[in-house]
Amino acid sequence: MHLELVKRPEVSRVMMVGSPVLAVGLTVIFAAIVFALQGKDPLAGVYYFFLEPLTSSWSIEQLIVKATPLVIIALGLAVCFLSNNWNIGAEGQLTVGAITGSMLPVLVPEFASPATLPLMVLMGALGGALFAAVPAILKTRFGTNEILTSLMLVYASGLFLDWLVRGPWRDPKGFNFPITIAFNDAAIPSTIPIGPLYLNLSAFVALVLVAVLAVTLGRTLKGFEIRVLGQSPRAGAFAGFSARRMTLFAFMVSGALAGIAGILTVASEIGKLQPVISPGYGFTAIIVAFLGRLNPVGILIAGLVIALSYLGGEAIQTTMQMSSKVATVVQGMLLFFVLACDTLILYRVRLVGRAPKEPARA
Amino acid sequence: MKRFGANTANDDVSLKVMPGEIHALLGENGAGKSTLVKILYGALQPNEGEILWKGQPVVIGSPAEARALGIGMVFQHFSLFEALTVAENIALALPKDADRRGLSATIARVSRDYGLPLDPTSRIADLSVGERQRVEIVRCLLQNPQLVIMDEPTSVLTPQEADQLFETLKRLASEGCAILYISHRLEEVRAICHHATIMRRAKVVAETDPTTETVGTLARLMVGNEVDAVTRTKGVPGAPRLTLAGLDMPALGAFGVPLRAIDLEVRAGEIVAIAGVAGNGQSELFDAVSGERTGRDGAVVIDGRPVGHQGVNERRRLGAAFVPEERLGHGAVPALKLSENVVLTRHGTGEGIASGGFTRFGLAGRIVEAVTKRFDVRKGPADPEARALSGGNLQKFVVGREVDRTPGVLVVAQPTWGVDAGAAAVIRQALIDLARSGSAVLVISQDLDEIFEIADRIAVISRGHLSVPKAAEAMTREEIGLLMAGGAEKR
């Protein structure tokens, strides 16, 4: 007796929905096992990891704050990955977007008007897009590997930010701390009360972007072009699409979105620039993009799930004194089970008895 | 018997090949020929039944075991390293403990003995397709096989090269070697085979002596009913609709073929066919005409307008349509639905499939329905992914998608490659009808039977040169063969 994977003739619509549910279920079960192996109460662990963050309005607000940049960046990465362009440098584009977007409140603090924040977002998008254009142009002009160049630029951008906040942009009244002056009020997104929750404007920006990307990818010729060139460059050329222009387009779109996420994170969460502005949103968003199957609505859900796993990881550390490594293990299991269960979309499992290998002899 | 999933590919098949016999295995695509051959060569295991080798039951677990028994195979697609020499390639295929000293001398002797002249020191990349096949055959012969399986060996050869191959096969058979010969070409089966087994839908439907049959009766056995003959009316050519004037195109990559000063005129109402052995510039010519590669403006003219440096969609807007040789991955995206594959080539034609930046998949779906109906595309769901269709049905769809527009100029490469006789007749008839309705049709094909069936004028491409097209009635196979072998270059 053994199990066999049999390829389905068509993708299974049931499993498209069922596989992530199954994956979360398996993650919960195996997380409980891991908690028990740590000598902790597995049920309490599951409660604190997966449910406790959803019980107070404060932690739900935190969940949304963490999910927002992940979703915005992952939307852009989906455009890249769907078109077969491997942008691994969203973290760097986020950093550059945060820098260019901060130029207004840092260099011209006296400019405070309703137009300030929209202009900052625009400049953040522009900065991120131009920074992302570098690996795109290197790829189309010289055939360099965009995975390497976009990744290396992450470190370049981080060092540039470090230099800025320690040098020319340092707050002269900041007791020599490596920070810029605090943003003025016009540069900080307002919060909007929704029932018991106070939600940051950024969250609504993310929702609008999810809708825009969903329509673009599903219904427009541009979205069609993205999918065709990603799957079959030769057929794309036959359709009159240019893979080189698409590389530039996809990188600039994802760079712009990472830049928007960067400036929104800085403006709403920190209120100034400092050497470290992101806990690795640009890298985690790669996972979010794939967990969401490169689908905008899926990315929205995946962003919330990953944000939950961050909060849950903090919760089991503070309330149950488990190591932060345990949280990382659970996050890893979630990714593993999602990818493994995805197999069921294309294959079905069949239990087979021992097949007679020898042909019958007459 | 061999089952694949729910499909049975070989059902209660019995086949007996005698020493010294050239035995033909005939059948349409999907009839189960390749499955049977893979079982004999050890690449697949049967679910039921047995194989007797010289009267003894055997289990052939792998191709290596098949070779050890004395079963050799020459594949349709060669497995040679282009950067290595003939001798190096053959050395790689020998068993681990084989003696490689004197291999070059052995190769030279065997190839001379069987009329397959080969220089062991020449590099594969420099050899023609026919010579590469000789390498495969010599490699197979060095293992002293008692059964040689040949999978469509002549599909890549010029008529003269094919004749040479037949001499070799006859010589092998006269020495007592058995040959299982798979082919679609019924003429050659009649000419060289002693015995024919015909398969249809996984079963053996007939065994016959092909020399006593006609091509028509063999075809009927394969297809199961009378193949609709293509009806061809005489066209009256009108004004030129597609003109190539001094079309030059540099080679792409090390193994590409440059196009050299190609002149051609395709007039309204006629089908012009370009014959040639694969890899002589056909794909380069297709890309240059379709606009996937652009060049000098006047080199390509559609309905009087120079379009040489315009892209594929600009040319489509002028009424041109294109069907590439490669269906999956070039003519269609495998994982996209048929309606999306309609958008692929028709979004830029001004038919409203893409308006205001949005795609109208509903309209594309109606085109799928129309094409399905007209070309009898067999598919399960209404709008399946392209890869779910069988090769023949996908080809009908890909050709139908363009013919449905009634294009003024249609350029089609290998219109019936790998398509069964019934579907081929439908496609060829559609091409003829399109031409007679006033369109100019350019067919690039390696299938001479097809060319003689539909073409009004024939030209031959050889190493990037195109011969002057001549009326099909005035062309013979011999003449085409000479042009294929390089005659097209001296004009």
Side-chain angles (χ1 to χ4, degrees), chain B residues 184-242:
Chain B
H184 276 120
R185 301 191 173 172
L186 303 175
E187 279 292 355
E188 65 189 36
V189 166
R190 284 191 60 233
I192 64 163
C193 294
H194 310 115
H195 207 88
T197 297
I198 295 148
M199 292 183 71
R200 189 163 76 228
R201 292 199 203 110
K203 289 185 180 346
V204 170
V205 291
E207 275 194 65
T208 177
D209 177 354
T211 52
T212 64
E213 303 277 346
T214 66
V215 169
T217 56
L218 285 174
R220 193 158 55 234
L221 286 169
M222 271 168 63
V223 183
N225 52 16
E226 201 76 55
V227 178
D228 292 343
V230 170
T231 47
R232 198 163 139 207
T233 49
K234 194 77 197 124
V236 186
R241 301 201 71 170
L242 171 69

Side-chain angles (χ1 to χ4, degrees), chain A residues 219 221 224 227 232 234 238-239, chain B residues 313 316 329 340 347 357 359:
Chain A
R219 300 244 65 99
L221 190 63
F224 181 72
R227 286 184 291 145
S232 176
R234 188 88 208 268
F238 188 56
Chain B
N313 282 322
R316 287 193 180 114
E340 294 174 304
H347 67 86
T359 40

